[in-house]
């Protein structure tokens, strides 16, 4: 059965989506990367993550082409840079993202990270106005640790944050100690970025051994381990249609207790709070 995650507004998304940081920027012919993304949508990876930062908008334009005619099938996520996170800057950045994506609304809009100048009340107020205007359906944050989330919760309306996108893969399990439980307790979906360890986990021998028993590949095991708890959406990026298909197997992959013990032995979970890893 396909694993799904519920957002606070009741919408459900697949627990596996598609990232796009390096897409649309010439690493491969456009047609191949567009085919990869459409293959993913066909296989149920309908949440697509992007950001104005990725290739200075080239990733959003790439997605606009890949989803042309299929907008209603996908859940689109984009992000605003902290340098644009004033009221005027967010409104302008959002319009530019919508234009590049060829759509009139985002399903989720995130603050990419915060810096020393970020005024959270202004960000929250502007995001809420974008919701009222129908330009975004929900909003969230990225690279926020527990302290940052608590600051956000003290801002009026801050508890309407739907998701926190953070670095999470088997080689970087720090969020399991405090942040992931905090998000679960407050109804915030966790979005796991760099879930394949930038591709490194696809070559892991322990994961490959577990995968053989399930008739899949190491990447599917790496991803299934992240999304097993119910409030995590992993967003692997793959520009190769075969990689996308391999990853999609994670959506319905049930790992056994023995599998999870072997994974914990190879990739130990955290035993104390670490500072949030940021890519
Ligand atoms: N919020 C943030 O600050 C933040 C930061 C980083 C990333 N992100 C988001 O998270 C997404 C994913 O993170 P990421 O791109 O850093 O890393 P990732 O998804 O961990 O790794 C991407 C790499 O893995 C390879 N790969 C994927 N599936 C594979 C498979 N089945 N077999 C072999 N290799 C495979 C891809 O190669 P191919 O392209 O050749 O398929 C690509 O080189 C980004 O694209 C972006 O949307 C957000």
């Amino acid at each position: 059965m396909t694993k799904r995650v519920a957002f606070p507004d009741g919408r459900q998304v697949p627990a596996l989506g598609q990232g796009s940081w390096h897409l649309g920027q010439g690493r491969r012919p456009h047609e191949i990367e567009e085919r990869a993304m459409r293959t993913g949508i066909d296989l149920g990876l309908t949440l697509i993550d992007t950001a104005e930062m990725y290739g200075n908008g080239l990733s959003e334009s790439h997605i606009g082409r890949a989803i042309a005619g299929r907008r209603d099938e996908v859940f689109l996520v984009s992000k605003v840079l902290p340098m644009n996170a004033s009221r005027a800057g967010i409104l302008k950045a959002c319009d530019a993202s919508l234009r590049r994506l060829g759509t009139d609304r985002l399903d989720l809009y995130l603050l990419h990270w915060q810096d020393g100048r970020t005024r959270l009340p202004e960000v929250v107020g502007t995001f809420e106005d974008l919701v009222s205007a129908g330009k975004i359906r929900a909003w969230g944050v990225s690279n926020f640790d527990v302290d940052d989330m608590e600051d956000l919760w003290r801002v009026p309306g801050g508890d309407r944050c739907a998701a926190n996108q953070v670095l999470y893969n088997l080689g970087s399990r720090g969020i399991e100690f405090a942040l992931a439980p905090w998000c679960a307790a407050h109804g915030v979906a966790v979005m796991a970025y760099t879930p394949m360890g930038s591709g490194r986990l696809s070559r892991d021998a322990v994961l490959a051994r577990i995968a053989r028993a399930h008739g899949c590949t190491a990447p599917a095991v790496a991803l299934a381990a992240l999304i097993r708890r119910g409030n995590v959406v992993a967003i692997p990026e793959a520009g190769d249609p075969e990689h996308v298909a391999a990853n999609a197997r994670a959506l319905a992959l049930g790992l056994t207790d023995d599998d999870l013990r072997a994974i914990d032995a190879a990739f130990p979970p955290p035993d104390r709070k670490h500072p949030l890893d940021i890519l």
Side-chain angles (χ1 to χ4, degrees):
M1 203 180 64
T2 294
K3 299 185 193 84
R4 303 187 75 78
V5 170
F7 272 73
D9 62 7
R11 284 180 300 163
Q12 296 219 339
V13 296
L16 205 59
Q18 304 189 64
S20 69
W21 186 3
H22 312 91
L23 300 184
Q25 293 154 58
R27 221 169 50 160
R28 285 193 179 83
H30 279 314
E31 316 80 76
I32 294 181
E33 291 186 347
E34 284 170 29
R35 181 150 53 82
M37 187 156 281
R38 284 194 285 269
T39 300
I41 296 170
D42 293 339
L43 294 173
L45 310 188
T46 52
L47 181 148
I48 297 175
D49 178 77
T50 185
E52 61 171 343
M53 185 187 96
Y54 300 161
N56 279 323
L58 290 176
S59 158
E60 290 178 324
S61 300
H62 162 76
I63 292 166
R65 290 189 296 274
I67 66 167
R70 305 185 71 174
R71 171 64 185 93
D72 291 344
E73 293 175 58
V74 300
F75 186 102
L76 269 185
V77 184
S78 193
K79 313 184 196 80
V80 59
L81 282 165
M83 69 182 192
N84 290 333
S86 63
R87 179 175 176 79
I90 293 173
L91 296 177
K92 189 170 166 209
C94 183
D95 279 342
S97 288
L98 292 173
R99 209 168 34 248
R100 287 189 290 265
L101 287 160
T103 184
D104 59 357
R105 69 199 184 282
L106 293 172
D107 293 288
L108 182 66
Y109 199 32
L110 307 178
L111 174 63
H112 208 147
W113 68 90
Q114 65 172 339
D115 65 20
R117 290 161 304 170
T118 305
R119 294 182 298 272
L120 286 178
E122 185 171 341
V123 173
V124 170
T126 310
F127 279 166
E128 284 294 326
D129 288 346
L130 284 170
V131 172
S132 302
K135 292 191 176 183
I136 66 174
R137 299 277 305 274
W139 61 267
V141 293
S142 177
N143 296 301
F144 271 40
D145 208 342
V146 172
D147 292 350
D148 305 317
M149 293 304 287
E150 286 176 345
D151 286 345
L152 179 61
W153 248 240
R154 283 189 280 271
V155 169
D159 60 356
R160 294 173 59 85
C161 170
N164 184 11
Q165 187 177 119
V166 288
L167 178 74
Y168 181 38
N169 60 57
L170 286 177
S172 271
R173 297 181 62 174
I175 68 157
E176 289 178 23
F177 193 82
L179 182 61
W182 192 98
C183 288
H186 292 80
V188 175
V190 171
M191 298 182 70
Y193 77 66
T194 317
M196 301 278 301
S198 305
R200 282 188 301 278
L201 292 167
S202 66
R203 297 180 291 276
D204 183 81
V206 173
L207 300 179
R209 178 176 56 71
I210 295 170
R212 273 194 296 279
H214 290 279
C216 62
T217 57
V221 175
L223 296 168
L226 299 188
I227 62 177
R228 70 183 191 277
R229 287 203 181 85
N231 81 321
V232 176
V233 181
I235 48 168
E237 172 184 314
D240 176 335
E242 285 184 19
H243 288 168
V244 174
N247 297 348
R249 292 287 307 277
L251 265 183
L253 179 61
L255 296 172
T256 66
D257 290 345
D258 280 350
D259 295 337
L260 293 172
R261 267 192 291 276
I263 288 171
D264 281 349
F267 304 96
D271 55 5
R272 63 195 158 81
K273 184 167 176 354
H274 297 262
L276 186 66
D277 291 320
I278 291 176
L279 203 66

